[in-house]
Every structure is written in structure tokens, then in C-alpha cells.
Amino acid sequence: MSALRRKFGEDYQVVNTNQGITFSAPVKRKRQRFVEKNGRCNVQHGNLGGETSRYISDLFTTLVDLKWRWNLLIFILTYTVAWLVMASMWWVIAYIRGDLSHGGHDKSYTPCVANVYNFPSAFLFFIETEATIGYGYRYITEKCPEGIILFLFQSLLGSIVDAFLIGCMFIKMSQPKKRAETLMFSQYAVISQRDGKLCLMFRVGNLRNSHMVSAQIRCKLIKSRQTPEGEFLPLDQCELDVGFGTGADQLFLVSPLTICHEINTKSPFFDLSQRSLMNEQFEIVVILEGIVETTGMTCQARTSYTEDEVLWGNRFLPVMSLEEGFFRVDYSQFHNTFEVPTPPYSVKEQEEKSSLTSPNPLPVAPTPSSPMLGNGGRGARRERLLSADYADHVEDQAFRLPRKLQRMSSTKEELLWRGLKTGPALPGGKASSTGDLPLSIQRLRSSSIPVAMQGQPEEQVQLLSLDGDAEEDELEKQRLPAAIRTITAPTPPLVQIPLVGSRPEDNLPAKLRRMNADR
């Protein structure tokens, strides 16, 4: 079975057709993390060769980095061995001097160390001397210079061993690693919209009342990639911007805060969508650094989020509430999230879609107070009218005019078509409109109207305004767009020509009247 899985992969299934029982391997193995949730880096160093001697050169740091069980073992063994070695040296001095042969020292014999008869008594003497207990029963005499020298060596060696081991234990106990246990990170990271922008967010909190001085947060994206040159970079590290340019990475960590990474063109998640998130493999490492207020030591807390721990379209529940006289933080809701409407597309897809669907902004007709109403504005409007798109847009907007302007336009158009249908006026007519007719009809009509006789004053042409006041009409025309003014241009005025007589013959030229008279 194991051989088949190694050959065909973990998704290989073995089916027993006789009993109808199916044995299947797990579809997806557990994700191998680069940094564990508790902040421990999942990296082991091997094949160091001769580089192991570097650990001995920095013995103090090596002892501090060891686990507690190894530290306690080294602590106990060091003191035990030192005591046994020093007790043996005192016993050797007593043996050489012959102090051990005298079972009970008489008053006439002066030993090196009084009342040391065997190894246990030598060991007790060393412990009393090293611990400065001084019971007063065993002591060094002045007749033993070698004992005095050994006593000085014992005092120096004991001070060095005490300083090294006790200092190592003190530093290990006062390490700020345990302070990081009271710094919380949310179990999941979420992706949703904030201020109209797609953001990656997670939450941090401080369980203690003591603050983290100069707290700063950083994020790293761990993802394997291949360069255009073909080089494979395993676990390549990329920086995620969490407000470095705006100072948002500097935290005042009194209450839980939501850290936000804006997904834009500079973000490595620029082309990340809800669908592609299921197929991606990456890890986000979060590093929180600060100075412990009570000890003044620098503390660093770490955690990580894999692609399975990033929730698309979710948001964190609020944990802050206002009580009477203070703010309360409910840490039972610290890790909880809820779904919110979020587009499933990446920022790249949204930008491409918006650029395709949104047309170019159309120009707006200027208002009377706009500076475009001058000569330069007239030329610009004339150029925009040459565009078919703009003309269609203006024609659509013509139906959105106020009712008063629509009535003005419809009235002028009716007068134009009425003038085309009426044709030339009868000889006895009082007035005739020629400006509304085409150019060929105007020429025929002008030839049919008799010219005033010689000696008569020239005909006075009176222009009649259709709307009454000319100034008001000009003001109304300026308020219209350029294209509408071309459609609703005022019709030419009526031309009133005075008649000479009441008969039709009186309106003929003088030459024709003489010809008729001769006939």
C-alpha cells in the first residue's frame, strides 16, 4: 500500500471489489509551515561539519538558547562535579600530610585541616567553605601553606562558576519570550473592502495592562517562485506594506487593533481573486516588535497565516464596548468573523473591467457663467460638434430641456414648415415670409414681387421678432447648448412691403402698365 502511494501519489485509492469497501488516502496533506502559529521557526540546521566549534566559542549564548531541561541538567552537574573535585583535592592534601592516619588528632599534632579524617569530612569542609556556612568545627591551620593556596583557588573558581551559571539562569528566566505569550494574534486573516479598497486584515491584541513601548509590526510573504531567467527561489520573502509610508505600522497597542494591508498595484496580491486563492500556496509571517515597559527589554512576537487561514469576504467582529467610565474589551469575540459582500474578483480584474465598461467622460455644455462663453469657447464648441459621439449625446440631451425651451423649439419648427407649405402670397396679400423658404423658392418669390416705382421712397423693411423682445430671445439662445441653438435658430423675420393700389394692375411695374394702356 505504501509503495503504491509513493508511486502514484497520496490521492491513490484502493478499492476492494469483493466487500465494497473503499480505502482512500487524505486528499490534502497537512500544510508544512515555515513559522508555526506560536512563532517558532520550523527550520533545522544540518551538516554543519567543522562549524560546530562556533557554538563553543559563544558558550553563554549557547547555554541561554538551550531548553530548560538541558539548562537544569548542566547547572546541577557543574556544581556537583566542582564540589567533588574540590573535596577530592582537600582529601589528597590530608592524605599526603598523613592527617588521615591519625584517627583522632591529639593536641600535640597540628593537621592541615582540623577534624578532617576521611573523604566525607573533606567534602563537608569544602561545602562549609564554599557556602560560607562556617560551623567552626573544621578549619585550616597556619601550618598548611598548600591548603591556603587551594583555599584561594577554590574561592576564585566558585565565584566564576556562580556568576556564569546563575547569570545564565537569570537571563533565561528574564527573557521576554514569555512576554510574547500575552500578545495575541487572530486565528484567521480576512480579505474584504475597507474605504472602497480591497484589503488583507488581521487582528493583534495585548492581554496585559503594561504597554509595549515603540511597538512596530511587519509582514513578510513567504512564497516560492521562479525568475524569468529560470532560477527557482524556494521560500522567497516579499515585504507586505502595512502602513510603513503613513506610519500606521507604529502601534499604540492598548486595545486590539486590526492591521490592514491595502491590495493595490504594488501588492503581491494584485491578481489574487477568490477562485485563485484556493489554488495558491503561500504563507504570511507577522512580526510584532516592541520594548517591554517593565523590563526595558526588546520583545518579538511572531505568527503566520497560510492560504487556508485567509478568509475571503469576511470581517472581524467588534470587541470594544463603552461601559460606565471605561472601555471594555471582550476577548471572547477576538477570533470571530462574519461574512460581508465582497467582489470575488481580483483588483487587477476589477480595474480592467472598469476601464472597459466606463466610457470617456463626455463634455458638458457650458453655463452662462462659464468662461467658455467667449470667442474661444465658441471655437471649442464648434470643434466638439464635429464629433459624431458628441452630437448624438447632445441630441439625447435635447429631450431633457425644460418645457419652456421645448415649446420655443417646437413653435419655431412649426413656423418653418408652415412657411414652406404656404408658398408665394397672392398679389393682394399684406405680408409675405421669404426667409423660411429654400434659396430657389426665395429667388422665384422675389421676382414675382413688383419693384417700387421710380420716385417712390425705398421700401422699409421691418423685422418682426417671433418671441417679442430681441434681448430676451438672445439670452435664451445663449443658455442653450451649441447643437440645440443650431436646431432652434430663429426663423427669418417677415418682410412687409407696402402696396401701391387696390387693383392688381397697380402693383405692376411702370413699363408693363404703359404696355397695358397702349393695348
Side-chain angles (χ1 to χ4, degrees):
M1 182 68 182
S2 60
L4 291 175
R5 287 181 178 175
R6 285 195 301 269
K7 182 177 180 180
F8 297 101
E10 294 292 336
D11 297 337
Y12 181 77
Q13 296 183 353
V14 178
V15 180
N16 190 345
T17 57
N18 296 328
Q19 299 181 0
I21 302 176
T22 302
F23 301 92
S24 61
V27 177
K28 189 173 183 180
R29 293 183 299 178
K30 185 179 179 181
R31 178 74 161 83
Q32 184 65 40
R33 310 180 73 100
F34 185 69
V35 177
E36 300 292 340
K37 295 294 287 185
N38 58 3
R40 186 180 64 86
C41 296
N42 194 13
V43 177
Q44 294 183 1
H45 303 281
N47 296 329
L48 297 177
E51 303 297 331
T52 54
S53 59
R54 296 176 181 267
Y55 291 98
I56 305 301
S57 61
D58 189 11
L59 184 59
F60 183 80
T61 305
T62 302
L63 292 177
V64 173
D65 290 340
L66 290 176
K67 295 183 179 180
W68 271 105
R69 54 178 175 267
W70 298 110
N71 273 274
L72 292 176
L73 179 62
I74 292 174
F75 185 86
I76 294 172
L77 288 178
T78 301
Y79 275 105
T80 303
V81 171
W83 292 344
L84 292 176
V85 170
M86 296 303 300
S88 300
M89 294 179 68
W90 286 109
W91 180 81
V92 169
I93 291 176
Y95 178 77
I96 294 174
R97 289 179 58 88
D99 297 341
L100 301 179
S101 59
H102 298 78
H105 297 160
D106 52 8
K107 297 181 180 180
S108 60
Y109 181 78
T110 305
C112 180
V113 179
N115 301 319
V116 173
Y117 311 109
N118 47 25
F119 182 79
S121 60
F123 183 79
L124 290 175
F125 170 73
F126 168 77
I127 294 297
E128 294 176 9
T129 306
E130 179 65 23
T132 64
I133 296 175
Y135 293 112
Y137 184 69
R138 298 178 180 87
Y139 55 91
I140 301 176
T141 61
E142 68 277 3
K143 299 295 184 179
C144 184
E146 60 274 16
I148 297 174
I149 296 175
L150 182 59
F151 176 76
L152 296 176
F153 176 76
Q154 173 186 333
S155 300
L156 293 175
L157 182 62
S159 300
I160 293 174
V161 172
D162 291 343
F164 190 83
L165 293 180
I166 295 176
C168 178
M169 299 295 291
F170 175 77
I171 293 298
K172 191 169 183 63
M173 287 187 296
S174 62
Q175 270 186 326
K177 289 183 178 180
K178 295 302 179 182
R179 178 63 177 90
E181 298 293 335
T182 55
L183 296 175
M184 291 183 60
F185 296 92
S186 59
Q187 187 176 359
Y188 297 98
V190 299
I191 294 180
S192 61
Q193 286 187 331
R194 171 178 284 190
D195 297 331
K197 301 176 182 178
L198 197 64
C199 299
L200 170 71
M201 294 174 285
F202 57 91
R203 182 179 277 174
V204 296
N206 183 15
L207 298 180
R208 290 188 180 273
N209 293 328
S210 58
H211 306 316
M212 292 289 295
V213 182
S214 301
Q216 183 179 10
I217 194 163
R218 295 183 292 117
C219 290
K220 294 284 187 179
L221 176 64
I222 310 297
K223 183 179 180 181
S224 301
R225 68 181 183 91
Q226 189 172 6
T227 62
E229 296 79 12
E231 181 184 3
F232 180 73
L233 302 177
L235 302 177
D236 183 48
Q237 300 185 12
C238 178
E239 188 76 19
L240 293 181
D241 186 13
V242 289
F244 178 76
T246 60
D249 59 333
Q250 305 290 333
L251 307 181
F252 181 56
L253 198 57
V254 178
S255 61
L257 299 177
T258 301
I259 310 302
C260 178
H261 165 67
E262 179 183 345
I263 301 178
N264 49 25
T265 56
K266 299 180 180 179
S267 173
F269 299 130
F270 179 61
D271 55 352
L272 180 67
S273 62
Q274 185 177 7
R275 184 175 182 179
S276 62
L277 180 61
M278 302 178 183
N279 302 323
E280 289 286 342
Q281 286 190 359
F282 61 85
E283 186 173 351
I284 303 172
V285 179
V286 181
I287 304 171
L288 176 61
E289 294 179 341
I291 301 175
V292 182
E293 187 180 30
T294 53
T295 61
M297 302 180 69
T298 303
C299 174
Q300 184 181 95
R302 296 180 298 268
T303 190
S304 67
Y305 300 98
T306 60
E307 69 279 357
D308 298 333
E309 298 170 346
V310 178
L311 305 179
W312 188 282
N314 281 256
R315 188 180 298 166
F316 289 106
L317 286 173
V319 295
M320 292 287 295
S321 62
L322 178 61
E323 303 291 340
E324 186 177 356
F326 60 93
F327 293 93
R328 180 182 294 277
V329 179
D330 184 11
Y331 279 99
S332 62
Q333 305 292 335
F334 185 82
H335 302 283
N336 295 340
T337 62
F338 64 97
E339 295 184 358
V340 292
T342 304
Y345 310 105
S346 64
V347 178
K348 181 180 180 180
E349 294 174 349
Q350 294 180 19
E351 291 184 357
E352 292 177 353
K353 185 178 180 181
S354 60
S355 62
L356 293 176
T357 56
S358 61
N360 295 329
L362 295 173
V364 182
T367 58
S369 60
S370 174
M372 291 181 65
L373 290 177
N375 295 330
R378 295 174 185 173
R381 291 196 301 272
R382 189 178 299 109
E383 292 177 358
R384 287 196 300 270
L385 286 175
L386 297 178
S387 174
D389 296 339
Y390 182 73
D392 296 339
H393 178 67
V394 173
E395 288 177 4
D396 294 339
Q397 287 188 347
F399 297 98
R400 304 178 185 177
L401 295 175
R403 293 184 178 180
K404 181 178 179 181
L405 298 182
Q406 292 180 5
R407 288 197 298 268
M408 292 171 59
S409 302
S410 61
T411 304
K412 293 177 181 180
E413 291 176 359
E414 291 176 0
L415 291 175
L416 175 62
W417 288 106
R418 188 181 302 172
L420 291 174
K421 292 179 181 180
T422 53
L426 295 175
K430 296 284 182 150
S432 177
S433 177
T434 61
D436 297 338
L437 300 178
L439 183 59
S440 59
I441 301 177
Q442 292 180 18
R443 291 175 180 175
L444 293 174
R445 185 174 179 85
S446 61
S447 62
S448 64
I449 298 176
V451 183
M453 294 185 301
Q454 296 180 1
Q456 293 288 341
E458 296 180 356
E459 290 85 3
Q460 297 179 358
V461 180
Q462 181 181 3
L463 300 178
L464 302 178
S465 176
L466 295 177
D467 294 334
D469 194 353
E471 295 181 357
E472 293 181 359
D473 183 53
E474 184 67 22
L475 183 58
E476 293 292 340
K477 289 192 297 181
Q478 290 182 359
R479 293 178 181 176
L480 291 175
I484 303 302
R485 289 202 300 271
T486 59
I487 299 174
T488 61
T491 58
L494 298 175
V495 180
Q496 186 175 5
I497 302 175
L499 299 176
V500 177
S502 60
R503 297 183 301 170
E505 291 80 1
D506 296 338
N507 296 327
L508 296 176
K511 185 176 181 180
L512 294 177
R513 286 200 304 270
R514 286 195 300 270
M515 292 174 64
N516 291 335
D518 293 341
R519 291 180 182 178

